[in-house]
Amino acid sequence: MITINENFLKLQAGYLFPEIGRRVSAFAKDNPDADIIKLGIGDVTEPLAPAIIEAMHKAVDEQANAGTFKGYGPEQGYGFLVDAIIENDFRRRGVELDPAEVFISDGSKCDTGNIQEIFGLDNTIAVTDPVYPVYVDTNVMAGRSGGAGEDGRYEGIVYLPCTAENNFSPDLPDQMVDIIYLCYPNNPTGTVADKATLKKWVNYARANKAIILFDAAYEAFISDDTIPHSIYEVEGAKEVAIEFRSFSKVIGFTGVRCAFTVVPKALKAWTTDGKEIAVNGLWNRRHSTKFNGASCISQAGAAAYYTPEGKEQVKKIIDLYMGNAKVIRESLSSFGYDIYGGTNAPYIWLHTKDGMSSWEFFDLLLTKANVVGTPGSGFGASGEGYFRLSAFNDPSKVAEAMDRISKL
Amino acid sequence: MITINENFLKLQAGYLFPEIGRRVSAFAKDNPDADIIKLGIGDVTEPLAPAIIEAMHKAVDEQANAGTFKGYGPEQGYGFLVDAIIENDFRRRGVELDPAEVFISDGSKCDTGNIQEIFGLDNTIAVTDPVYPVYVDTNVMAGRSGGAGEDGRYEGIVYLPCTAENNFSPDLPDQMVDIIYLCYPNNPTGTVADKATLKKWVNYARANKAIILFDAAYEAFISDDTIPHSIYEVEGAKEVAIEFRSFSKVIGFTGVRCAFTVVPKALKAWTTDGKEIAVNGLWNRRHSTKFNGASCISQAGAAAYYTPEGKEQVKKIIDLYMGNAKVIRESLSSFGYDIYGGTNAPYIWLHTKDGMSSWEFFDLLLTKANVVGTPGSGFGASGEGYFRLSAFNDPSKVAEAMDRISKL
């Protein structure tokens, strides 16, 4: 008899964003004239940079000619993209990487979800709370947790609360953990980690033979020069950290799909009887067995970001979004909300007033201002009473949204 | 201490195609003037159909304008593609599907590799032998096997030998199995299953509460009208089968990436204590948690295949490849080889002569004729003494390859 993976039954009802979509659809159906402004799911809105469009047209044309046609590419990605990444994203910040340490993929959601497969089921997972739900859900599916409690937290997973009280920078866990998910600039709180903070985590991992899974999907939004873009800017991090990067938010590739993951050769893990194993080889085996490379067209587009024109054009788009972030921060502050993030990240994290719950605030904003945001409690128990607004929209829409919120 | 997934240590050294690549590279390095003809990995060579190229240019242009820009799409794929698939690939063959039963992805390697995640680790897996290595390797990684024996077979996995003796159509297993991987038209043997054969498997699955994972990546190469293109052409199959389809070989998307998987709502599996669970919901949860949709450009290109121009242009390319298959079949037969497949599939499966091993034949072909094929033993113990040639190449190269082989 065919049996299911019963860990799936532990999962809480519905992934956060489908539930938001359901409420928005229901409201739109009942209010067909409402002009809904979406500052919710964190999807980009600006069209792609011209240099990237041009590169993708060229890549499409290459598929029209036998001499330039690309069939299966390397599962790990094309050298032209890997080399551009190493040169621009790492070498210029003082980090040296070997091409075999970079794995191109079709998205960070996939990579951060799949990475846990190469580790044992006996590892204890630590996540910040609030957190991007994929880190947790994929470990629950794999069997690294018990059931969920009333607060939505899964038994066996270690949650590190991030609230205004600790400035959204979690303390080290007070019990031994083996895998730590960190995301900086942070989704959803929009806060960043300075070098000393990252050093604290690297030291913990080195001392405890733990691994840090570092999600840097939003590094391009950092404006403060003292904030590291990569965890490898911290000495010794290559021995304890995997880093995830995405082109989704940086160059607007949420629909086109491209990302990459760095697995340093110096990173080791162990068998239960203490034999040391290189993690790079494990991930390479997983990646080449279950994945067949990102689209050659997406890879060509991503590589165009690293040209002088591409960088300049993309910077303008990022500046536009960060201008939105400034407007949102300043407006909400003036309305009397406590707000966080939004200076080195495209997310603004606000504290609701008068003890209003995250979903109550969601419904208020949707029904009274026709503005969609993301309830903080959807990211974890410690997100209750908080709310995420994203800077991804047209400046005129953002201004309109702030105007409507001002009237609440 | 961070521990690894020790199941990875059970995997045999190297996936088949990297080993082929290694031997070809070494030969090419020592013989820089050799004109190597590749009939190996099964990668397409013809440029894409003009209608598909045009659709992808249009999709790229849409990304250049705010009004048509596509960000995150539905994880399950765009309705325009799902609807075209249902209408053309299924309804026209008498199979009705609901849009929620079709999941667009970036490749069948991913889908056939990931599908096992939603099932329990206690299920017994059956595969044909020879077989596409991904089915086996992904189950080994997940822990559904013991170690490998000297013949490369993993303990706990049920192998169903397919040889000339049984006309490459395996008998039903003589022990209870829960998950059966079937691939028709078959990779690597190029053979097909008629309706009676599929009916035998569907009946087995229904009688034993088993699930069939049906890989139909090569259905477009079927020329015999009596051969089913979908397992759902067999009555009752929706209750016991998942079907995988790929655009890779059909429309030349090995580099562009697009595929889909059908999980019927009628398909059920069970908890260990006998509770019935709909498999569609499990896969939807897995797919939407760990995947963020195939590239919008790839999906636009795939949809263009279903236009009248697209179909006509793609048919010409398939006819070209199948013309190659005919040349290979007839040539090798005339050289005295026993050959199989190649009439409803782009693969020709030949029996080596004089008891030569698959890898010996590989090295002979590479070094003496500078032709690359795929050793049958790379697909499993029962593939020993067989060899796969693919029809994916330019007709002039295929003719040249046959001429060189004739002189061996």
Side-chain angles (χ1 to χ4, degrees):
Chain A
M1 183 183 79
I2 176 82
T3 61
I4 68 157
N5 174 352
E6 295 190 26
N7 294 310
F8 273 65
L9 303 181
K10 298 174 192 164
L11 290 166
Q12 316 256 33
Y15 184 63
L16 173 61
F17 296 113
E19 173 60 19
I20 293 174
R22 199 190 60 72
R23 294 196 190 200
V24 174
S25 295
F27 178 79
K29 199 178 163 195
D30 293 344
N31 300 275
D33 296 333
D35 173 27
I36 297 173
I37 299 176
K38 296 188 180 179
L39 301 176
I41 196 168
D43 195 0
V44 293
T45 53
E46 286 296 301
L48 303 184
I52 293 170
I53 293 291
E54 191 187 328
M56 293 204 294
H57 276 307
K58 190 161 165 275
V60 171
D61 280 333
E62 283 181 5
Q63 295 302 93
N65 293 290
T68 52
F69 177 78
K70 282 192 173 74
Y72 288 122
E75 286 105 345
Q76 300 85 351
Y78 281 104
F80 66 78
L81 179 54
V82 170
D83 291 346
I85 286 168
I86 291 175
E87 177 61 32
N88 291 278
D89 285 338
F90 294 94
R91 187 165 296 139
R92 293 192 183 181
R93 298 198 63 86
V95 176
E96 286 296 327
L97 292 178
D98 184 285
E101 297 179 314
V102 177
F103 296 84
I104 310 293
S105 80
D106 70 322
S108 275
K109 187 180 183 184
C110 316
D111 287 349
T112 58
N114 292 331
I115 194 78
Q116 46 77 31
E117 285 181 35
I118 62 173
F119 299 114
L121 292 179
D122 52 340
N123 290 295
T124 299
I125 305 297
V127 294
T128 60
D129 176 12
V131 72
Y132 179 49
V134 169
Y135 310 153
V136 175
D137 289 1
T138 54
N139 277 292
V140 173
M141 289 174 176
R144 287 191 197 83
S145 79
E150 278 189 15
D151 60 358
R153 288 180 169 183
Y154 293 93
E155 196 190 341
I157 289 182
V158 175
Y159 293 84
L160 309 171
C162 298
T163 60
E165 285 69 41
N166 63 10
N167 208 19
F168 303 98
S169 183
D171 298 329
L172 292 174
D174 51 14
Q175 66 181 103
M176 198 74 108
V177 301
D178 307 300
I179 298 177
I180 305 149
Y181 288 82
L182 295 178
C183 173
Y184 289 109
N186 188 254
N187 174 19
T189 68
T191 54
V192 287
D194 60 17
K195 211 160 180 175
T197 302
L198 292 183
K199 182 76 188 157
K200 175 183 84 172
W201 286 105
V202 167
N203 287 345
Y204 174 89
R206 292 173 67 93
N208 295 284
K209 290 192 170 178
I211 278 186
I212 298 167
L213 301 177
F214 189 75
D215 187 346
Y218 299 93
E219 61 77 32
F221 296 88
I222 294 173
S223 58
D224 179 342
D225 285 345
T226 69
I227 302 296
H229 288 233
S230 166
I231 194 166
Y232 304 124
E233 292 178 44
V234 173
E235 205 189 320
K238 279 189 184 173
E239 289 161 43
V240 291
I242 290 172
E243 183 164 304
F244 304 94
R245 293 278 187 107
S246 171
F247 292 103
S248 286
K249 309 302 163 72
V250 186
I251 65 172
F253 262 28
T254 52
V256 174
R257 314 302 308 145
C258 202
F260 65 93
T261 290
V262 179
V263 186
K265 289 184 176 172
L267 183 67
K268 299 288 192 294
W270 288 268
T271 61
T272 46
D273 59 2
K275 194 180 159 203
E276 191 178 271
I277 305 283
V279 175
N280 180 281
L282 292 178
W283 182 246
N284 190 46
R285 191 61 155 91
R286 193 277 169 207
H287 195 73
S288 56
T289 302
K290 294 193 183 179
F291 183 66
N292 237 337
S295 169
C296 56
I297 300 165
S298 307
Q299 291 189 65
Y305 161 49
Y306 295 106
T307 61
E309 307 75 44
K311 278 184 205 172
E312 196 185 316
Q313 293 162 3
V314 166
K315 188 179 178 303
K316 280 186 192 157
I317 298 171
I318 290 178
D319 287 347
L320 178 146
Y321 289 138
M322 292 312 288
N324 288 341
K326 189 161 182 274
V327 168
I328 297 173
R329 284 177 52 238
E330 292 176 353
S331 304
L332 294 172
S333 285
S334 74
F335 308 154
Y337 290 100
D338 288 332
I339 58 111
Y340 310 92
T343 51
N344 293 293
Y347 294 126
I348 292 89
W349 189 241
L350 72 84
H351 209 314
T352 64
K353 294 187 216 175
D354 308 321
M356 190 179 271
S357 80
S358 298
W359 277 109
E360 282 168 354
F361 191 75
F362 174 89
D363 288 332
L364 174 77
L365 235 58
L366 174 61
T367 58
K368 303 297 179 196
N370 305 161
V371 171
V372 180
T374 311
S377 58
F379 296 102
S382 296
E384 182 57 277
Y386 292 92
F387 198 79
R388 191 188 79 176
L389 287 170
S390 107
F392 298 122
N393 214 322
D394 188 81
S396 67
K397 299 256 189 188
V398 170
E400 167 72 16
M402 291 305 111
D403 187 53
R404 292 188 200 161
I405 294 174
S406 73
K407 292 170 185 153
L408 284 183
Chain B
M1 183 183 81
I2 176 82
T3 62
I4 68 157
N5 174 352
E6 295 190 26
N7 294 310
F8 273 65
L9 303 181
K10 298 173 190 164
L11 291 165
Q12 316 254 34
Y15 184 65
L16 172 62
F17 296 113
E19 173 60 20
I20 292 173
R22 199 190 60 73
R23 293 198 191 199
V24 173
S25 295
F27 178 78
K29 198 178 163 194
D30 293 345
N31 302 273
D33 296 334
D35 172 26
I36 296 173
I37 298 176
K38 294 187 181 181
L39 301 174
I41 196 169
D43 195 0
V44 294
T45 52
E46 286 296 301
L48 303 185
I52 293 169
I53 292 290
E54 192 187 328
M56 293 203 295
H57 275 308
K58 189 161 165 278
V60 171
D61 281 333
E62 284 181 3
Q63 296 301 93
N65 292 290
T68 52
F69 178 77
K70 283 192 174 73
Y72 287 123
E75 285 106 345
Q76 301 83 354
Y78 281 104
F80 67 77
L81 179 55
V82 170
D83 292 346
I85 285 168
I86 290 176
E87 177 62 33
N88 290 279
D89 284 338
F90 294 95
R91 187 165 296 139
R92 293 191 182 180
R93 298 197 64 86
V95 176
E96 286 297 326
L97 291 179
D98 183 284
E101 298 179 315
V102 177
F103 296 84
I104 309 293
S105 80
D106 70 320
S108 275
K109 186 181 184 183
C110 315
D111 287 348
T112 57
N114 292 330
I115 194 77
Q116 47 78 29
E117 284 181 35
I118 63 173
F119 299 114
L121 292 180
D122 52 339
N123 290 295
T124 300
I125 305 298
V127 294
T128 59
D129 176 11
V131 71
Y132 179 48
V134 169
Y135 312 153
V136 175
D137 289 359
T138 55
N139 277 291
V140 173
M141 289 174 178
R144 287 191 196 83
S145 79
E150 278 188 18
D151 58 359
R153 289 180 167 182
Y154 292 94
E155 195 190 341
I157 289 182
V158 174
Y159 292 85
L160 308 170
C162 298
T163 59
E165 285 69 41
N166 63 10
N167 207 21
F168 303 97
S169 182
D171 297 330
L172 292 174
D174 50 16
Q175 68 182 102
M176 197 73 105
V177 301
D178 306 301
I179 297 177
I180 305 148
Y181 288 81
L182 293 178
C183 173
Y184 289 109
N186 188 255
N187 174 18
T189 67
T191 54
V192 287
D194 60 18
K195 210 161 181 174
T197 302
L198 293 183
K199 182 76 187 157
K200 175 183 83 171
W201 286 104
V202 168
N203 287 346
Y204 174 90
R206 292 173 67 91
N208 295 284
K209 290 192 168 176
I211 277 186
I212 297 167
L213 300 177
F214 190 75
D215 187 346
Y218 299 93
E219 61 77 32
F221 296 88
I222 294 173
S223 58
D224 179 342
D225 286 344
T226 69
I227 302 295
H229 287 233
S230 166
I231 194 166
Y232 304 124
E233 293 178 43
V234 173
E235 205 188 320
K238 278 188 185 174
E239 290 160 44
V240 291
I242 290 172
E243 183 164 305
F244 303 94
R245 293 279 188 106
S246 172
F247 292 104
S248 286
K249 310 302 163 73
V250 185
I251 64 173
F253 262 29
T254 51
V256 174
R257 313 304 306 146
C258 201
F260 65 93
T261 289
V262 179
V263 186
K265 289 184 175 174
L267 183 67
K268 300 288 189 296
W270 288 266
T271 61
T272 46
D273 59 3
K275 194 179 158 203
E276 193 178 88
I277 306 281
V279 176
N280 180 281
L282 292 178
W283 182 245
N284 190 46
R285 191 62 156 92
R286 193 274 169 210
H287 195 74
S288 56
T289 302
K290 293 194 186 179
F291 183 66
N292 238 338
S295 170
C296 55
I297 299 165
S298 307
Q299 291 189 64
Y305 160 49
Y306 295 106
T307 61
E309 308 73 44
K311 279 184 205 172
E312 196 186 316
Q313 293 162 3
V314 167
K315 189 178 178 304
K316 278 186 192 157
I317 298 171
I318 290 178
D319 287 348
L320 178 146
Y321 289 139
M322 293 311 290
N324 288 342
K326 188 162 184 276
V327 168
I328 296 173
R329 284 177 53 237
E330 292 176 353
S331 303
L332 294 172
S333 284
S334 74
F335 309 153
Y337 288 101
D338 288 331
I339 59 109
Y340 311 92
T343 51
N344 293 293
Y347 294 126
I348 293 88
W349 190 241
L350 72 83
H351 210 313
T352 64
K353 295 187 215 174
D354 308 322
M356 190 178 273
S357 81
S358 297
W359 277 110
E360 281 168 355
F361 190 74
F362 174 91
D363 288 332
L364 174 76
L365 235 58
L366 175 62
T367 58
K368 302 298 179 197
N370 305 160
V371 171
V372 180
T374 311
S377 57
F379 296 101
S382 296
E384 180 57 275
Y386 291 92
F387 198 78
R388 190 188 81 175
L389 288 170
S390 107
F392 297 122
N393 214 323
D394 186 82
S396 65
K397 298 258 188 184
V398 170
E400 167 72 16
M402 291 305 113
D403 186 52
R404 293 188 202 162
I405 293 175
S406 74
K407 291 169 186 156
L408 286 183

